Structures are given as C-alpha cells and as structure tokens.
C-alpha cells in the first residue's frame, strides 16, 4: 500500500465546474504539498500545508491532520487548469518528499 | 525571484557521450535536489545537497555524478548513460533540507539517450 493515495486518478470536468481532488496518507507528516504539472513541463508548487486551509485565487487547499487527509479544490474551473495535480508529503524531519501518483485533470471548454 | 532555472531544456545524447545538466537558483536556498521523472510517474529523488554538501544519494548509478560548486548552482554530470535513463530531470531547491520547507521546482531537462 502506498503511503500517499490520491483520488481520483483521472478527472474530466466542464468549464466552470467545482473540482475536488483528494489525498490520503498513512504516516505522520510535517507538511503536505500540492503540486501542479502541465504536460511536458516542470512542476509548480501550489501550496504547502501543515494545518488548516490555504487559498490562492481559485485554488483552495485543506488538511485534516487527525484524519490524515487533504483536499485541493478548484472553483470555476477553466481549460488552462488541465494538468496533473500531485500530492506529496514530508515525513517528520525527512529531507525528501513522498509523492502520490497524481490526478490527471482535464477541463473541457 | 522565486525561480529555479534549468539548462538545457532538451538534450539528446548517445551512450558514449558526456554531458552536463545545470540548475540555478538565486533565492538564497541552501538545499538543492535532483529528481528523475519517467512518463506518467511521480518524480523519484536522486540526490540532495545541503549547504553544498551531498547529504542524500538514493543509490543512483555512478554514471550520474552530481556537483554543487556553490550555493546557487547544481550540476548533474552524465556519462555512459543507457536508453532507460531517458526521462525528465527536475531540479528543486528549498530554504533548508531539515524542513518543513517548500520546494521550488525548475522546468526540467528532457533527456533522450540514443
């Protein structure tokens, strides 16, 4: 069993829809990252969370430490949001990220 | 400036060639990372440098040789690679290595070994 599980693996939405991507982890963590990767491209860090909720533009990330669960929400989705969204966790004082397998999001116009 | 730059963007090399990948950041970060990413897979950590010293080597073959000449620059020297080494190579940096610190990623170098 992977330490970091993401769902769904693939998600297709219509422009304007509200989108939720989920991440569950099985270990104690010091922080959780949400990352975005466009096709053929590098990775952009969207959020790093240790607790609570963060918002940036149309993106909202929440984390529940007790339930070992995080969600990434996209409001008013747009085709340019189409990308792979990756959840990654920092375990304790570890220097390395443990990555989920990613969620491929496609937003249709 | 929150940018990590990588050169070249694309690289095609033969199995007998020697080439280098370059990564640079000017955010004053003291930890730098090399990742390898195969298609449709998450990144795999290769090396971590902390304060210009190699702190983690994830059992990477010796045909990959990292170098950190100064706190802003990270190189990955390539020699006698195999076709299965073809991948996207990503560099990242963070404020420190004993976190939690946010990692900032570069755009990657797409490497093809022929």
């Amino acid at each position: 069993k992977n330490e970091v599980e993401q769902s769904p693996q693939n998600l297709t939405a219509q422009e304007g829809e509200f989108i939720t991507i989920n991440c569950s982890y099985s270990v104690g963590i010091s922080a959780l990252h949400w990352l975005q990767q466009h096709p053929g491209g590098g990775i952009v860090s969207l959020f790093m969370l240790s607790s609570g909720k963060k918002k940036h533009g149309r993106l909202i990330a929440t984390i529940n430490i007790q339930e070992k669960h995080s969600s990434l929400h996209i409001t008013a989705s747009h085709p340019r949001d189409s990308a792979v969204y990756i959840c990654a966790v920092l375990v304790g004082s570890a220097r390395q990220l443990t990555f989920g397998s990613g969620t491929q999001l496609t937003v249709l116009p | 400036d929150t940018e990590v730059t990588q050169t070249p963007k694309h690289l095609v090399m033969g199995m007998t060639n020697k080439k280098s990948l370059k990564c640079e950041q000017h955010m004053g970060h003291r930890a730098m990372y090399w990742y390898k990413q195969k298609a449709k897979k998450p990144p795999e950590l290769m090396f971590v440098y902390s304060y210009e010293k190699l702190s983690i080597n994830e059992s990477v073959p010796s045909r990959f040789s990292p170098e950190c000449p100064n706190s802003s620059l990270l190189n990955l020297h390539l020699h006698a690679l195999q076709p299965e080494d073809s991948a996207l190579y990503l560099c990242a940096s963070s404020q420190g290595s004993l976190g939690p610190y946010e990692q900032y990623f570069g755009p990657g170098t797409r490497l093809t070994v022929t």
Side-chain angles (χ1 to χ4, degrees), chain B residues 25-95:
Chain B
Q25 57 87 15
H26 296 288
M27 295 178 276
H29 288 174
R30 303 315 300 265
M32 296 185 78
Y33 310 78
W34 279 116
Y35 292 90
K36 173 183 177 180
Q37 187 180 27
K38 301 285 273 185
K40 299 192 184 300
K41 297 288 187 185
E44 299 170 22
L45 183 68
M46 299 175 73
F47 303 104
V48 179
Y49 271 83
S50 179
Y51 289 85
E52 298 155 52
K53 288 186 172 22
L54 183 64
S55 60
I56 293 180
N57 175 340
E58 289 289 330
S59 303
V60 178
S62 60
R63 57 186 185 269
F64 295 92
S65 175
E67 179 198 18
C68 189
N70 59 59
S71 60
S72 300
L73 190 55
L74 185 66
N75 297 319
L76 186 63
H77 302 297
L78 314 172
H79 173 54
L81 294 193
Q82 304 296 309
E84 60 264 29
D85 297 321
S86 298
L88 181 68
Y89 287 83
L90 292 159
C91 174
S93 70
S94 64
Q95 193 173 335

Side-chain angles (χ1 to χ4, degrees), chain A:
Chain A
K1 188 181 188 303
N2 291 336
E3 290 179 322
V4 182
E5 298 274 356
Q6 279 187 244
S7 63
Q9 286 191 327
N10 294 282
L11 178 57
T12 300
Q14 289 296 133
E15 184 173 356
E17 285 185 6
F18 180 84
I19 287 162
T20 296
I21 299 170
N22 296 300
C23 176
S24 296
Y25 51 91
S26 56
V27 294
I29 68 168
S30 56
L32 182 145
H33 284 62
W34 279 105
L35 309 167
Q36 180 194 55
Q37 187 170 32
H38 283 281
I43 290 174
V44 174
S45 177
L46 300 174
F47 298 102
M48 188 182 76
L49 293 163
S50 299
S51 63
K53 177 180 174 178
K54 286 191 175 180
K55 184 175 188 292
H56 185 254
R58 294 180 294 106
L59 302 176
I60 302 165
T62 63
I63 188 167
N64 185 317
I65 297 293
Q66 286 73 31
E67 293 185 6
K68 293 186 166 62
H69 181 267
S70 175
S71 293
L72 176 69
H73 305 287
I74 305 175
T75 61
S77 59
H78 190 276
R80 65 175 174 267
D81 297 325
S82 298
V84 175
Y85 292 84
I86 305 169
C87 169
V89 299
L90 270 170
V91 179
S93 61
R95 296 176 174 127
Q96 57 195 80
L97 291 170
T98 300
F99 293 87
S101 55
T103 295
Q104 173 69 62
L105 171 66
T106 303
V107 181
L108 301 174

